[in-house]
Amino acid sequence: MNALSNQQISRSAYRIVMLVLLAVLFLAVNLFSNIVFRSARIDLTENRLYTLSEGTNEVVAKIEEPITLRFFYSERLANDYPRIRTYAGHVRDLLQEIRNRSDGQLRLEVIEPEPFSEQEDLAMSLGLKGAPTAQGDIIYFGLVGTNSVDGLEAIPFFTDEREQYLEYDIARMIQNLSRPARPVLGIVTNLPLDTGTGGLMSAMRGESLPFMIYEELRDRFELEYLEQQFKAVPSKIDVLMVAHPRELDEATLYAVDQFVMRGGRVLAFIDPHSEVSLTAGPDGQPIRGYTEASNLEPLLKSWGVDYDPTKIVGDRGLAQRVQTGLDARRQESDYVIWLAVPRANVDADDIVTADVMRLNLGTVGALAPSANATTQFTPLVRSSDDAKLYDLDYVKSGPRPDDLLRRFEPTGESYVIAARLSGPVASAFDGPPGAGASAEDDDAAPRSATDPAPHLARSEGDANIILFADSDIFDDRFWVQTQSYLGERVAQPIADNASFIVSAIDNLMGSNELISLRARAKIDRPFTVVDELRRTAERRFLAEQEALERRISETERRLTELQTQGPADAGLHDGATAEAHVENEIQIFRAELLDSRKKLRDVQRNLRREIDGLGARLRFINVGLIPLLIAVVATGAAIVRYRRRKARVEKGA
């Protein structure tokens, strides 16, 4: 008896000790995991939404001076807006992930600006924009970054339209703040960007103004104009914009070629027929020394592009409407060589064209990937397939819009107007051009004399080039309307020409990985099952509603007949009988009305019931199913254990 009692006490003590040890083990494992695995994360989302791209990691790793990010978010006010609340959670998670990768170089502050508080004043002073609510409150949802030299970048408000580019926008902000000085844009052009169509003398007399795009570029970058004859691109230039230049000599082409070989990024605009260059100035004549057409052979060949400078794209589907005035009844006509390119004809997944809704272009050329190209040719802007190629000589003869239409025979082919070129590039030259290549031009503009660098036959890394077959994209007439207000020029864009150019330069200023960053999937995932339930219920609801309206209409018509026609016309000869019949019809109408409304309520109730049932099932699967399975397994294990112990006792007995 004592032995049995001692054995039971021993088992009880054993269980208590085991429970204590399990509790200690549980606490130790939690403490260990909190210390060791604090920074460990597993991204199980389908599109890797919380995994930073290599480009972002590279940008963060290059931060040399501390950067502060202030995330302004009116969390309390946004509780009634699920879309903003979900998006804000994604933004905050992404910012925290970037901060964790920055090795302490990135500080993150999350600020909830209360109405009429100092935080709200700070948000407004930093350029953030608030979204008003129906209750009159202001929701702030933006980001401000600052560096140690008073540099400031801001995202005024995170909008749904930019959700796919959230990581890119934040990485670009960090990259801009990590630079001590503004990036340098080198410009090679014969377009009158800084003087307007009147040229320098006209600009000095105040008769001509710079193009609006020039103002945009000057605000964002340090501009470095290069003479159109040079032997090397200065090393301080981050991106080289070659915009419809004069015909470049071999030495200058070689300089551009080697700039690309050494990893330089190029944004190039060529044009078979530049209307902006031919625009008359105040004196009625184009600028002296204008360039009617531009080409970059042999660079295009080495970049893997075929381009025919004698062809111009005509597009009936994208033709702009122009004033003709030739017919009193037909003042406007389609001008098939002036294109209004909509969003459907640009690559919406590319960062550069992500915000482009419309581009207005004139007399554009066509690009195509060449055979055996080493580069990857990615179209950014396309014509429609209701297009054809006109001969340049015919276009230069000045045909009227109707003449162009009469000769229009679509080929069914969509022509590429702009493309991104990436990948390895072979040099277009076997070596530096001889001294004779530029000797004949020695009396022209002075060259930038620099020590020649060793010739590179192949690019050191992947090239990054954006090529556009049009120069009229710069012309104010095509994309902006300007007005004078208190002595200042106020721009009202009618197309996204400037947005494209600035985005392209901004993109090429980034790292290679950042340049190749594409749009990500949105975090918002539709409830397809719920939507289908709702659509089905709505179809039933509409069918019931339609039937109800027909019944109501029919009953009203019948009542009207009874009330306006005499009892004889209604087939009733007795007044009392007619009155009773009308009353009976009214009762029937009310009964039918009540019945129909009840059915409509049933449809709506069933819809909510089905959605609630679906939600309950999902909650049960997410919350209750796993504990239930564990309980079932534990119960089964306990039963098995009990039977084994019972069997051992019986065997011992």
Side-chain angles (χ1 to χ4, degrees):
M1 186 67 180
N2 288 335
L4 181 60
S5 176
N6 291 336
Q7 187 178 5
Q8 290 176 344
I9 293 173
S10 175
R11 286 180 179 176
S12 299
Y14 173 76
R15 289 170 183 163
I16 293 173
V17 170
M18 285 297 296
L19 288 174
V20 171
L21 290 177
L22 285 174
V24 171
L25 180 62
F26 176 76
L27 294 175
V29 169
N30 274 278
L31 185 62
F32 176 79
S33 60
N34 282 337
I35 296 174
V36 177
F37 302 113
R38 176 176 296 175
S39 60
R41 290 170 175 79
I42 300 177
D43 186 357
L44 300 179
T45 55
E46 181 181 2
N47 298 306
R48 313 290 291 172
L49 294 173
Y50 298 97
T51 301
L52 299 184
S53 68
E54 288 301 318
T56 304
N57 287 325
E58 182 179 315
V59 169
V60 173
K62 290 181 178 178
I63 299 176
E64 296 180 354
E65 296 290 336
I67 293 175
T68 300
L69 297 181
R70 292 186 176 92
F71 176 45
F72 290 84
Y73 173 48
S74 305
E75 184 173 6
R76 184 177 57 82
L77 296 177
N79 281 334
D80 296 334
Y81 301 89
R83 184 70 194 90
I84 294 179
R85 191 173 66 243
T86 303
Y87 190 14
H90 181 41
V91 173
R92 180 154 44 193
D93 291 342
L94 184 61
L95 291 172
Q96 290 174 345
E97 183 66 22
I98 293 175
R99 179 199 57 188
N100 294 337
R101 298 293 184 89
S102 68
D103 196 21
Q105 294 288 64
L106 202 63
R107 293 182 55 217
L108 175 62
E109 299 176 8
V110 179
I111 301 173
E112 183 176 0
E114 297 288 341
F116 308 105
S117 65
E118 294 182 359
Q119 289 84 358
E120 185 177 42
D121 294 340
L122 177 63
M124 295 174 64
S125 66
L126 293 175
L128 297 191
K129 295 180 180 177
T133 67
Q135 293 74 29
D137 297 317
I138 302 294
I139 294 178
Y140 289 93
F141 183 27
L143 183 68
V144 176
T146 55
N147 59 18
S148 56
V149 292
D150 297 331
L152 187 146
E153 295 274 338
I155 298 176
F157 196 93
F158 289 102
T159 60
D160 288 349
E161 291 76 12
R162 294 292 300 181
E163 182 179 353
Q164 293 168 289
Y165 313 100
L166 173 64
E167 184 182 354
Y168 176 82
D169 290 340
I170 295 175
R172 284 294 303 155
M173 172 187 284
I174 296 172
Q175 187 175 61
N176 290 340
L177 292 171
S178 63
R179 289 174 170 167
R182 289 198 301 175
V184 181
L185 174 66
I187 299 178
V188 182
T189 183
N190 200 33
L191 295 174
L193 297 179
D194 55 346
T195 62
T197 53
L200 178 60
M201 297 304 296
S202 179
M204 293 176 65
R205 293 193 297 268
E207 299 173 348
S208 181
L209 295 172
F211 285 171
M212 290 302 299
I213 185 59
Y214 175 78
E215 306 284 356
E216 296 265 355
L217 298 177
R218 191 174 59 180
D219 289 342
R220 296 178 64 92
F221 310 107
E222 181 182 341
L223 304 184
E224 179 80 15
Y225 270 88
L226 301 181
E227 298 292 342
Q228 296 193 52
Q229 293 176 333
F230 50 86
K231 290 182 178 178
V233 178
S235 58
K236 67 177 181 180
I237 287 179
D238 297 292
V239 170
L240 183 66
M241 184 173 77
V242 183
H244 189 62
R246 287 188 297 176
E247 184 177 0
L248 302 179
D249 64 10
E250 190 174 0
T252 306
L253 289 170
Y254 178 75
V256 177
D257 174 87
Q258 291 299 294
F259 178 71
V260 174
M261 295 301 112
R262 287 174 169 76
R265 291 78 183 269
V266 173
L267 173 62
F269 296 86
I270 55 178
D271 199 336
H273 185 64
S274 175
E275 299 196 29
V276 62
S277 294
L278 301 174
T279 303
D283 59 354
Q285 298 294 326
I287 302 174
R288 293 181 57 186
Y290 66 85
T291 301
E292 180 182 334
S294 55
N295 199 344
L296 290 176
E297 285 289 347
L299 297 181
L300 296 184
K301 185 177 181 181
S302 71
W303 295 350
V305 178
D306 285 340
Y307 168 70
D308 187 346
T310 66
K311 299 294 182 183
I312 288 177
V313 176
D315 192 324
R316 189 166 53 186
L318 306 183
Q320 292 192 46
R321 299 282 291 177
V322 296
Q323 294 280 346
T324 57
L326 300 177
D327 189 334
R329 296 182 177 180
R330 190 162 163 266
Q331 294 290 320
E332 291 187 346
S333 180
D334 286 343
Y335 195 41
V336 295
I337 57 175
W338 282 11
L339 309 185
V341 183
R343 182 172 179 78
N345 290 73
V346 304
D347 183 359
D349 289 336
D350 194 288
I351 299 294
V352 171
T353 45
D355 290 333
V356 171
M357 303 303 293
R358 171 179 170 142
L359 291 174
N360 285 348
L361 311 172
T363 56
V364 306
L367 308 172
S370 60
N372 303 321
T374 59
T375 56
Q376 182 179 353
F377 183 97
T378 306
L380 295 180
V381 182
R382 285 179 173 277
S383 73
S384 73
D385 54 10
D386 190 13
K388 65 163 289 182
L389 294 178
Y390 287 102
D391 289 332
L392 176 62
D393 291 337
Y394 172 67
V395 173
K396 290 171 64 176
S397 68
R400 295 184 303 177
D402 287 353
D403 298 332
L404 291 166
L405 283 171
R406 289 190 190 96
R407 295 185 59 163
F408 189 86
E409 295 178 0
T411 60
E413 182 179 352
S414 175
Y415 299 97
V416 178
I417 301 169
R420 182 189 287 276
L421 313 173
S422 57
V425 177
S427 173
F429 299 87
D430 296 330
S438 58
E440 60 186 19
D441 299 325
D442 282 345
D443 56 344
R447 295 174 180 276
S448 303
T450 57
D451 294 333
H455 172 74
L456 291 181
R458 300 190 65 83
S459 59
E460 293 179 335
D462 287 346
N464 283 297
I465 301 167
I466 294 178
L467 184 62
F468 208 108
D470 182 45
S471 64
D472 300 309
I473 187 174
F474 291 92
D475 194 344
D476 288 353
R477 295 178 304 162
F478 279 84
W479 70 274
V480 67
Q481 294 176 344
T482 58
Q483 294 179 344
S484 179
Y485 180 74
L486 298 177
E488 298 287 337
R489 263 203 311 174
V490 179
Q492 294 180 326
I494 57 175
D496 298 319
N497 295 20
S499 176
F500 174 87
I501 296 170
V502 172
S503 295
I505 297 171
D506 211 34
N507 179 247
L508 291 173
M509 292 285 183
S511 63
N512 284 349
E513 288 76 9
L514 208 59
I515 290 173
S516 61
L517 192 63
R518 305 282 291 181
R520 286 194 169 208
K522 287 190 174 184
I523 191 172
D524 185 26
R525 305 186 66 178
F527 293 92
T528 54
V529 176
V530 174
D531 290 343
E532 182 57 32
L533 285 174
R534 182 175 290 108
R535 282 193 291 269
T536 302
E538 285 177 352
R539 285 195 293 269
R540 289 161 50 193
F541 182 84
L542 290 175
E544 292 282 348
Q545 185 181 36
E546 188 177 358
L548 171 64
E549 289 174 350
R550 282 200 302 269
R551 292 167 63 183
I552 292 173
S553 177
E554 177 62 24
T555 305
E556 288 178 341
R557 185 190 64 79
R558 181 60 182 159
L559 286 173
T560 302
E561 286 180 358
L562 292 174
Q563 293 170 350
T564 57
Q565 298 174 358
D569 294 336
L572 303 171
H573 303 286
D574 182 73
T577 303
E579 184 177 352
H581 184 74
V582 170
E583 183 64 26
N584 184 51
E585 289 287 340
I586 291 175
Q587 294 299 326
I588 293 173
F589 164 73
R590 288 175 177 171
E592 290 181 348
L593 185 62
L594 292 174
D595 182 61
S596 299
R597 286 179 174 173
K598 180 177 180 302
K599 288 181 179 178
L600 287 178
R601 287 197 299 272
D602 290 342
V603 173
Q604 292 176 320
R605 188 183 303 111
N606 290 336
L607 169 63
R608 288 196 297 269
R609 189 176 298 161
E610 290 181 17
I611 294 176
D612 292 343
L614 177 62
R617 289 196 296 275
L618 292 176
R619 281 195 297 273
F620 171 73
I621 293 173
N622 290 330
V623 179
L625 182 60
I626 297 301
L628 182 62
L629 289 176
I630 293 175
V632 170
V633 172
T635 303
I639 293 173
V640 171
R641 187 179 177 187
Y642 171 76
R643 288 180 175 176
R644 285 178 179 174
R645 184 187 302 168
K646 185 178 179 182
R648 282 199 303 270
V649 171
E650 290 176 353
K651 197 173 185 179

